[in-house]
Amino acid sequence: MSINVTRSSMPLFEEYCEEIKDLWDSRWLTNMGAKHKQLQAELEKYLDTAYVALYTNGHLALENVIAAMNLPQGSEVITTPFTFASTTHAIVRSGLVPVFCDINDVDYTIDTTKIEALITDKTSAIIPVHVYGNICNIDEIQQIADKHGLKVIYDAAHAFGVVKNGVNVSNFGDASMFSFHATKVFNTIEGGAVTFADESLMQVLKDMKNFGIRGPEAVAYVGGNAKMSEFQAAMGLCNLRHVDDEIAKRKAVVERYRFHLSNVGGIKICAEQENVKSNYAYFPVVFDGYKYTRDEVFELLKSNEIVARKYFFPLTNSFECYKDYPTAGAEKTPVAQYIADRVLTLPLYADLTLEDVDRICNVILGCCV
Ligand SMILES: *Cc1c(COP(=O)(O)O)cnc(C)c1O
């Protein structure tokens, strides 16, 4: 049986049907209906955060929160290239210039010792990524941001439910963006959110997702359309009931991977972060001096009908669309380049059986299968 790198969490068919039943009575399918409002309230509770604004996807949530920060057009934003295309694209599409900072080789988040050297009088913000659900060095980042008067927006697409020292990840920086895409730990089919503590952001975040419409005859803002529909919100309400179970099952999968792959020469896996409650979103493995290269392991798995992912390869600063971009160039972020050339994320989802994990590890270890 083939194994994909991920498999979306879904409630029972009957549970979803029950959840969407009211929509046939209300005939209210989108535009901040009852499901949307309920999911928003439940997420504020689950994420233990002041405000949640829901979006039709994580990318537009990120573009919208960047716009809400009112950063000067053409100003520079410090970020990392070891991320999904969305992070860098959102910065560029917002008329800002991404300045690429390298990552550290422990948890692959932004190397905070390299941030200050990149700050100029044009720098307006830092957009770090909690990559694989690993939390960035939030204290260092905040200190640097405060010293230089910069905004901090976290790409927390991977970090739903992660808690550090009792504080949910949604509370760090000026705002955080979450993705509820089908492949993420918590999904609303497509979907996303911004979390924030500053109440004054609420109006502009609302305006931006609904054409700036404030009343039947009042359009106060040049907004776009990024609303989460009732069907998406209904999926979220169902999935939220099960997300803790899903995370517990992911944990068992990750522990099995660790059991097989810890202490194998040439295979490097991330240590668990201290005082962090993980969501077990991804299981990245770095092949460095192993008997097979990353690409060989990828092919070996593929020939056994197992799909792993070169995540993140290529780096965003080596994308073709940025080849003429002045700040691009993977050689400027050597650690990120090194990891991107060697990393593979292994199949990981709640229903992956431990027997399948054993089989995947046997293939990687070159045992008879
Ligand atoms: C998934 C993801 C996004 C984009 O979210 P969508 O909901 O797919 O638009 C942004 N950043 C990172 C790191 C992601 O993994």
Side-chain angles (χ1 to χ4, degrees):
M1 256 264 290
S2 68
I3 302 173
N4 204 353
V5 68
T6 184
R7 194 162 181 268
S8 297
S9 296
M10 291 173 89
L12 288 177
F13 179 66
E14 292 75 16
E15 184 179 352
Y16 187 65
C17 288
E18 192 57 38
E19 190 63 54
I20 60 175
K21 230 175 184 169
D22 338 346
L23 302 176
W24 266 258
D25 301 324
S26 69
R27 300 277 160 147
W28 187 299
L29 307 186
T30 183
N31 285 57
M32 286 64 79
K35 305 280 175 201
H36 185 117
K37 287 185 183 131
Q38 190 186 341
L39 182 63
Q40 184 180 326
E42 290 194 13
L43 284 173
E44 281 168 0
K45 214 166 127 197
Y46 185 86
L47 296 175
D48 194 17
T49 196
Y51 301 105
V52 170
L54 296 176
Y55 286 88
T56 194
N57 60 55
H59 180 79
L60 286 173
L62 185 56
E63 285 197 10
N64 279 220
V65 68
I66 290 172
M69 294 291 161
N70 265 320
L71 308 174
Q73 282 293 296
S75 65
E76 296 173 356
V77 174
I78 296 173
T79 188
T80 53
F82 191 69
T83 183
F84 186 55
S86 170
T87 324
T88 305
H89 286 349
I91 295 167
V92 174
R93 286 166 57 86
S94 304
L96 305 167
V97 178
V99 173
F100 297 100
C101 185
D102 211 348
I103 58 170
N104 71 65
D105 67 355
V106 177
D107 58 25
Y108 314 134
T109 63
I110 193 165
D111 183 344
T112 51
T113 66
K114 293 180 183 157
I115 295 176
E116 280 199 288
L118 297 172
I119 294 176
T120 70
D121 54 6
K122 287 198 188 135
T123 310
S124 60
I126 309 175
I127 302 189
V129 184
H130 297 304
V131 69
Y132 305 131
N134 289 337
I135 296 191
C136 300
N137 190 338
I138 44 156
D139 295 332
E140 285 283 328
I141 291 168
Q142 200 57 54
Q143 255 175 35
I144 294 166
D146 290 345
K147 184 170 155 196
H148 298 273
L150 308 176
K151 297 284 188 193
V152 180
I153 304 167
Y154 283 104
D155 180 333
H158 291 183
F160 186 87
V162 179
V163 176
K164 175 162 182 160
N165 288 324
V167 182
N168 191 285
V169 70
S170 61
N171 294 296
F172 302 135
D174 292 282
S176 297
M177 176 280 285
F178 291 87
S179 166
F180 305 151
H181 182 255
T183 56
K184 302 298 200 300
V185 168
F186 167 74
N187 86 76
T188 60
I189 309 169
E190 292 267 5
V194 176
T195 60
F196 53 99
D198 176 0
E199 195 192 347
S200 70
L201 281 176
M202 188 53 104
Q203 186 64 56
V204 63
L205 287 172
K206 268 188 189 163
D207 284 346
M208 277 188 297
K209 69 178 160 194
N210 191 28
F211 309 103
I213 296 171
R214 292 208 190 148
E217 298 181 7
V219 180
Y221 185 90
V222 188
N225 181 5
K227 304 183 296 292
M228 176 182 280
S229 78
E230 291 293 275
F231 287 83
Q232 292 171 285
M235 186 62 120
L237 288 169
C238 294
N239 279 334
L240 194 56
R241 288 179 202 126
H242 307 290
V243 70
D244 288 336
D245 286 346
E246 297 277 300
I247 290 173
K249 287 190 194 165
R250 284 172 169 274
K251 181 177 184 193
V253 171
V254 165
E255 281 173 354
R256 191 72 151 215
Y257 272 130
R258 287 186 182 280
F259 168 76
H260 286 296
L261 301 178
S262 297
N263 310 314
V264 177
I267 292 186
K268 194 177 145 199
I269 56 187
C270 285
E272 299 234 23
Q273 290 186 305
E274 261 178 62
N275 305 317
V276 171
K277 185 174 152 278
S278 176
N279 65 356
Y280 306 96
Y282 298 90
F283 193 73
V285 177
V286 169
F287 296 94
D288 189 6
Y290 186 57
K291 62 180 170 180
Y292 309 127
T293 64
R294 184 270 308 270
D295 288 357
E296 284 167 352
V297 176
F298 178 84
E299 291 301 329
L300 194 58
L301 289 168
K302 200 166 128 190
S303 64
N304 283 275
E305 291 187 73
I306 298 164
V307 182
R309 197 170 166 198
K310 297 177 193 177
Y311 197 59
F312 296 98
F313 175 85
L315 297 175
T316 68
N317 60 358
S318 63
F319 283 179
E320 197 188 330
C321 56
Y322 294 125
K323 75 176 186 304
D324 298 325
Y325 217 76
T327 60
E331 71 288 347
K332 291 178 192 157
T333 52
V335 177
Q337 190 176 28
Y338 194 88
I339 300 301
D341 285 340
R342 288 165 180 79
V343 72
L344 211 52
T345 56
L346 300 182
L348 174 53
Y349 46 87
D351 292 332
L352 185 64
T353 67
L354 300 183
E355 291 71 31
D356 278 339
V357 178
D358 295 345
R359 184 159 80 86
I360 293 163
C361 292
N362 279 339
V363 171
I364 293 170
L365 296 171
C367 307
C368 39
V369 275

